[in-house]
């Protein structure tokens, strides 16, 4: 398949903008005052409301929102669109539940990573090491899947060979994240969020036009299968158990995802947090509704796809002219890039701040050394991911699901109970982490659905029980009371 230059031109222009923003971030970073670690990994905690909303939204949205989710909506109909909307409150939950107390603790303890917060709660190196190992293993799986998704997208839509696309895609992310740090990540997140939004509605309007308008699209769906317009979806797949499981996995459980939680300590003040909640929730609403609706209504345009996940790439080619398809292609690429840079930066922070400096604390004052180490390590991680994705295993999607659930089962209760339950101690946290990870791995691997729930639901219940039991066996952790915050 030859490379489609008309599609590649707007995509290359987009990558040039990414490069320009990254250079600007490097310039800002050099002018910034304060410690290098705080600047490189948190941007000096200076995020305003708009940037906070954009980086949280884009850190959460990934390739699945532009491929897997619309593919499910294509297969199951409009009912899946409503189901997908349970993801809308994720920004509100992250900032509303974690944001305020996270910000207080982060400034008190000069926390740079999520594990700094955990150590401040539990005063346990074991908690930090368990969390760090889980985070790194899970992040490698998650980022590998995103790298593969980006390269496959370039291959399918633009005709770029997989390995070449992987080098372009992975190389750009590794370079701008390594050189610009958190500032480059956030600036590009803001631009990428705008690109996602524009691309989403560009495709949705094109699909509606090709289908003959909303009414005709719904009529066509009914003629294919009346259940495609039913709230329960085709095959009556959407029921109370699925709704509950989905809500836990992609809404409530997101409180345990480190890549979104860490954004909650980088904002400037309470005003920025409140503005971020509003803008971020609005962004999530528009993105989730637009992409899933495009997938569902796309069946009226392309009724016979055998692989539902191909609906968005296929629609892109069918309903958009090549140049417009190139503009839209930047949207899922932006989603993938934002998701990867959030994970990549935090993986680097975990290795340096939580592992390396915990072993060699005397190095923390050598900022020149830390600068070189952080940049080099982030770049090396990016190159490692390219190698990992070079020959993707057949079961890579299951690695992604396992990683997603493992992060939630390991981090959710230690974070929430550590913040809001004073008696919470390290023994409870360790028991919860181990029980959550093991139970989810077993239930997901053997496809066991207790009471017809997704494995994440019983795993979180078991990890909560383990926390409570372990907490009774352990010793209390003394912590200073949280200071008040002026609104």
């Amino acid at each position: 398949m030859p490379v489609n230059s008309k599609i590649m031109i707007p995509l290359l222009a987009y990558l040039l903008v990414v490069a320009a923003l990254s250079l600007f971030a490097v310039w800002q970073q050099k002018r910034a005052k304060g410690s290098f670690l705080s600047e490189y990994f948190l941007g000096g905690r200076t995020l305003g409301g708009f940037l906070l909303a954009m980086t949280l939204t884009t850190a959460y949205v990934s390739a699945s929102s532009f491929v897997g989710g619309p593919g499910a909506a294509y297969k199951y109909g409009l009912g899946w669109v409503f189901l997908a909307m349970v993801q809308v409150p994720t920004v509100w939950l992250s900032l509303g539940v974690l944001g305020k107390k996270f910000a207080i603790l982060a400034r008190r303890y000069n926390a740079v990573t999520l594990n700094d917060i955990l150590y401040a709660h539990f005063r346990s190196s074991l908690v930090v090491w368990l969390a760090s190992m889980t985070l790194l293993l899970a992040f490698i799986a998650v980022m590998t899947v995103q790298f593969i998704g980006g390269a496959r997208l370039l291959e399918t839509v633009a005709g770029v060979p997989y390995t070449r696309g992987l080098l372009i895609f992975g190389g750009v992310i590794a370079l701008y994240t390594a050189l610009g740090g958190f500032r480059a990540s956030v600036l590009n997140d803001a631009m990428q969020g705008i690109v996602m939004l524009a691309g989403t509605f560009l495709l949705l309007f094109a699909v509606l036009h090709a289908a003959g308008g909303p009414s005709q699209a719904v009529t066509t769906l009914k003629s294919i299968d009346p259940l495609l317009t039913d709230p329960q979806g085709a095959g009556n797949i959407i029921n109370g158990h699925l709704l509950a499981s989905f809500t836990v996995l992609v809404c409530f459980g997101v409180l345990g995802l480190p890549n979104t939680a860490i954004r909650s300590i980088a904002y400037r003040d309470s005003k920025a947090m409140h503005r971020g909640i509003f803008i971020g929730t609005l962004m999530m609403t528009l993105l989730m509704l637009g992409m899933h609706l495009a997938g569902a209504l796309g069946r009226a345009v392309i009724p016979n796809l055998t692989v539902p996940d191909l609906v968005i790439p296929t629609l892109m080619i069918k309903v958009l002219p090549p140049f417009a398809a190139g503009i839209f292609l930047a949207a899922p690429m932006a989603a993938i890039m934002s998701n990867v840079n959030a994970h990549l930066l935090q993986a680097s922070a975990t290795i340096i701040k939580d592992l390396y400096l915990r072993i060699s604390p005397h190095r923390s004052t050598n900022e020149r050394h830390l600068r070189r180490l952080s940049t080099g390590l982030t770049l090396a991680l990016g190159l490692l991911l390219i190698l990992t994705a070079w020959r993707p295993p057949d079961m890579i999607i299951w690695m992604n699901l396992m990683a997603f659930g493992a992060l939630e089962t390991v981090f959710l209760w230690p974070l929430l109970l550590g913040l809001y339950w004073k008696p919470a101690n390290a023994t409870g946290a360790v028991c919860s982490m181990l029980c959550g990870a093991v139970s989810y791995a077993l239930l997901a691997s053997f496809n066991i659905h207790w009471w017809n729930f997704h494995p994440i639901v019983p795993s979180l219940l078991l990890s909560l029980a383990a926390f409570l039991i372990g907490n009774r066996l352990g010793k209390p952790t003394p912590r200073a009371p949280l200071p008040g915050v002026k609104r």
Side-chain angles (χ1 to χ4, degrees), residues 317-403:
I317 296 170
K318 184 175 180 65
V319 304
L320 294 173
F323 191 80
I327 296 174
F328 176 79
L329 179 59
M333 294 297 287
I336 297 169
M337 291 172 77
S338 296
N339 189 274
V340 170
N341 70 44
H343 287 89
L344 186 59
L345 204 58
Q346 196 170 354
S348 179
T350 298
I351 294 173
I352 292 171
K353 184 69 167 60
D354 300 325
L355 301 179
Y356 174 69
L357 290 181
R358 194 165 293 278
I359 297 171
S360 305
H362 62 281
R363 294 280 193 176
S364 61
T365 56
N366 190 340
E367 298 232 333
R368 185 178 180 184
H369 170 71
L370 290 176
R371 184 184 300 275
R372 290 179 175 176
L373 182 62
S374 300
T375 303
L377 180 61
T378 306
L379 187 59
L381 283 173
L383 296 176
L384 174 64
L385 291 168
I386 292 175
L387 293 176
T388 307
W390 199 263
R391 295 185 182 276
D394 293 336
M395 300 300 291
I396 195 74
I397 184 62
W398 301 115
M399 287 173 57
N400 190 40
L401 292 174
M402 289 282 287

Side-chain angles (χ1 to χ4, degrees), residues 130-181:
L130 282 174
S132 298
M133 293 299 104
T134 303
L135 186 147
L136 290 173
L137 290 173
F139 274 17
I140 288 172
V142 170
M143 289 188 288
T144 300
V145 171
Q146 300 299 319
F147 270 51
I148 293 169
R152 290 292 186 211
L153 199 59
L154 285 173
E155 183 181 41
T156 304
V157 178
V160 179
Y162 175 81
T163 52
R164 191 184 304 172
L166 182 62
L167 288 171
I168 294 171
F169 174 75
V172 168
I173 297 176
L175 279 172
Y176 86 71
T177 306
L179 295 176

Side-chain angles (χ1 to χ4, degrees), residues 248-479:
V248 171
L249 184 63
V250 300
C251 184
F252 173 70
V254 170
L255 291 172
L257 290 182
N259 59 305
T260 53
I262 196 63
R263 259 62 181 164
S264 300
I265 70 174
Y267 63 86
R268 184 173 55 238
D269 50 32
S270 293
K271 184 179 179 181
M273 183 188 76
H274 296 148
R275 186 174 294 172
I277 289 174
F278 174 76
I279 298 173
T281 302
L282 179 62
M283 276 286 294
M284 285 294 296
T285 303
L286 295 174
L287 286 173
M288 292 299 116
L289 179 62
M291 284 310 304
H292 287 83
L293 200 55
L297 298 179
R299 190 155 181 179
V301 180
I302 311 169
N304 298 315
L305 276 181
T306 55
V307 182
D309 281 357
L310 293 178
V311 60
I312 295 301
T314 307
L315 283 172
M316 195 187 309
I317 296 170
K318 184 175 180 65
V319 304
L320 294 173
F323 191 80
I327 296 174
F328 176 79
L329 179 59
M333 294 297 287
I336 297 169
M337 291 172 77
S338 296
N339 189 274
V340 170
N341 70 44
H343 287 89
L344 186 59
L345 204 58
Q346 196 170 354
S348 179
T350 298
I351 294 173
I352 292 171
K353 184 69 167 60
D354 300 325
L355 301 179
Y356 174 69
L357 290 181
R358 194 165 293 278
I359 297 171
S360 305
H362 62 281
R363 294 280 193 176
S364 61
T365 56
N366 190 340
E367 298 232 333
R368 185 178 180 184
H369 170 71
L370 290 176
R371 184 184 300 275
R372 290 179 175 176
L373 182 62
S374 300
T375 303
L377 180 61
T378 306
L379 187 59
L381 283 173
L383 296 176
L384 174 64
L385 291 168
I386 292 175
L387 293 176
T388 307
W390 199 263
R391 295 185 182 276
D394 293 336
M395 300 300 291
I396 195 74
I397 184 62
W398 301 115
M399 287 173 57
N400 190 40
L401 292 174
M402 289 282 287
F404 196 81
L407 286 171
E408 292 186 357
T409 54
V410 167
F411 283 97
L412 180 63
W413 299 122
L415 282 176
L416 284 184
L417 297 179
L419 282 175
Y420 289 101
W421 191 39
K422 289 183 179 180
N425 61 39
T427 305
V430 170
C431 291
S432 176
M433 288 174 158
L434 293 175
C435 179
V438 172
S439 60
Y440 183 78
L442 291 174
L443 292 174
S445 298
F446 293 100
N447 200 27
I448 300 171
H449 291 76
W450 285 355
W451 308 295
N452 292 321
F453 286 110
H454 185 279
I456 192 67
V457 176
S459 297
L460 285 177
L461 291 175
L462 288 171
S463 64
L464 175 60
F467 196 114
L468 298 176
I469 294 170
N471 208 73
R472 289 186 64 87
L473 301 175
K475 297 179 180 179
T477 304
R479 291 195 299 274

Side-chain angles (χ1 to χ4, degrees), residues 155-209:
E155 183 181 41
T156 304
V157 178
V160 179
Y162 175 81
T163 52
R164 191 184 304 172
L166 182 62
L167 288 171
I168 294 171
F169 174 75
V172 168
I173 297 176
L175 279 172
Y176 86 71
T177 306
L179 295 176
F182 189 81
R183 286 187 184 273
S185 174
V186 168
L187 287 174
N188 279 296
D189 284 349
M191 183 268 293
Q192 288 160 353
I194 295 170
V195 169
M196 287 183 217
L197 200 59
T200 295
F201 283 95
L202 175 66
L203 182 66
L204 179 59
F205 291 143
V207 168
L208 287 171
H209 176 74

